Amino acid sequence: MLLGTSALADIDYKQIQSDLNRMGYNVGTADGIPGRNTRKGIQQFFNDAGYEAPESITDVEQSFINDVATFVDKPLELIRDVITNKISISSMTDEELCNVNFHIDLMPVFDELNSRGLNCPSGTEKIIRYEGQLIIDPVEQLRKFQRSFSIKIPDFDLKNAQTFVDWDQTKEVYNFLNPMIGQLVNQGRERLEYCSKFMGRIGSVPPDPSKNLDGTGSWAGDTMRDGFVICQDSLNALYLRALSSNEMIAERSRKAFQKIIEQLVEADGANNLPFRPYHTRHNKRAGRADPNFTYLITLSKLMTGVELLHSTFGWSPDDYAAYSDWAKERLIQRLPVGGRGSSLDGQKCNLNPSMNNMNDACMNAAPFVAQGLLRAAIMGGDRELAELSYLVFKQYSSAIREDGSQSYDAIRHCYAADYTIWASEFLHDYVYLAAQAGVNLWEDKFSEKNGTPRKNVEYALNVRANPNLVNKYAKDFGFPDCKTENGQIVQKVANYPWSAFAFYLHSFDKTNFDNILLEDRSDLWSYTGASGVNYEVDLLAKKPELIDYFISNEAKIFAEREQKEKDAAAEKRVALLESIGFEEITGDDPYAGRYTVTWYFVDSMRTKKSEEARDVLTLANGMGSFAGVNFDMQPSSKLRKELFVAYSNSGDIFIQGNLDLFDVGRAFPTELKGSLNINDKPEISGTWYEGDIFELELTKID
């Protein structure tokens, strides 16, 4: 790298040295003289960021260094205290509030700023981007992979691959599958208003602004999520509000989503900012470009909404061209999938990876990128994007084992089961999109040593039914919120709907395909979770004979399903009783009767206890059930009613089932244990999801 003398007079090298030092490059005293350490630091910074070091430094390079340093040099302790509620936002000074808002987007901080009339900028509003020469050309890297393995790319028919073509028909199918969808989408007004204001102003999207900062593998239950996490589901909810039974709400929501997209396209916004805060636990130098999943999921949610609603936007050909160009550029920014500084050894994935060689090109991010590339290709008629999407898919396929397990996501400690299902949903969506373009990928596999997408979905559905299956591969990553019981890692799994796999079920499992009509989707998360693409709706819209089948066989389907559910519940009851050593009580039962149960939540740090709900528990013959009162409290009434409850002659009690807490429907398997011998302490307790505690106090009624 050369530093031309003409540049020296115009460049503030003292500032550059200061910026490099605070990012961990240790170039020495900031004296304004660009010596060997300074030149080496500049070269390291640009190489870490994924770029060839520039031959000379101009104001463009100086601005980029300063922008990155200013953004990543965060007051981590202050932010950590805020998101874990150790500091009250209302007690913060204006200066502290503005400082936090610049470095992390938090909905309560946003509201507090507005209430005080403060106009403090967010760091994510600025476009932080550099147009230098990348060390790894992401497109050429994929083409090299293609050449190395002689991969033949199928011919995608992009012209006839549109989804959600007829908005009126789309609405009809949504309402057929769930007559309550029009009321369901009217929830969560405060979050939607926040996201409507926040998302359109984004210049840059950083990775995981709040994740892991509380010491868990993701977030403890009461940890404050950043705006990008809040809006991941809320963006889906916003565009789904176009289905509202209230026409005014529907039209307002559709326009709000369209405005977000048009603002971003016009401002060239929502760019990939792949830099984490300088934090030695994550990396030694803050200029290192990391794979940015937050960027990927934000981009996907935006594009999914356009896919669903664009026919209502009234866009001109120029509008479509502008959007397509923006979407293409944003997706190319996310390549290489494994990150700017990463390349796979041998260009394919390892079937026996370790914690130390994880790579996004072989994990759940890859099919997410693939579906985004193909979605943009279909929208813009871009054949190159379609081909790149297939190469990303093909590289990811080298991580699928013969049994269908995903070699990287399946090792992720107590999150392995959840990531296995999540990744399979992303892959399933890509396979569906490819099918709309005339390409059948169900039996496509990387090699004879690998499994197919069909095998992968089948494995994920088995894990959905029995999360412990993944413990064959799961490894200890040292996450403090992961637990082990009876030699098994306790897997944390969300409640994923059958509908997410509708295309597979229609293709290979007609019996369970009925579940997309029968399953309970009374919570919005069942629509907005995972990638938030409801392709079951597009599938039925294109195959009206399936709707006719459901209508003509509805009574039979429901009757068969009800009997199967009863049989399954009886089998589960017997198995659970045997596993915990309980038996039905046939003689004298001193614990039979009704109890008032007060549900308390205790945060994972054991610093806060709050009452969540009250219910009535009825016990008889060693079994019990909750009445499900307090409908508007959590855990949700319906989930409380479905809990398995058993107790013994000695008064030991065991409760098992899915429970939610903060977001309705975002439920996870939970076990509670305790005693019916009432005293001053909570009689029953158990750990929920990421380390938070449920405590239940009982009072006998009769």
Side-chain angles (χ1 to χ4, degrees), residues 359-373:
N359 190 299
D360 268 27
C362 307
M363 295 156 61
N364 62 328
F368 215 8
V369 172
Q371 64 169 269
L373 287 165

Side-chain angles (χ1 to χ4, degrees), residues 105-107 110 188-202 205 210 219 225-239 257 260 294 297-302 528-532 663:
D105 298 285
L106 299 171
M107 181 175 163
F110 180 87
R189 181 175 59 84
E190 290 184 1
R191 282 189 172 192
L192 294 182
E193 288 182 355
Y194 165 72
C195 294
S196 295
K197 297 173 183 176
F198 166 60
M199 292 303 299
R201 304 189 311 198
I202 294 172
V205 182
S210 61
W219 298 269
R225 273 70 165 172
D226 60 84
F228 291 99
V229 176
I230 292 293
C231 294
Q232 283 171 14
D233 288 346
S234 294
L235 275 173
N236 294 124
L238 180 61
Y239 65 68
F257 187 85
I260 290 172
T294 304
I297 200 168
T298 300
L299 188 60
S300 179
K301 303 289 184 173
L302 292 166
T528 63
S531 57
D663 298 310

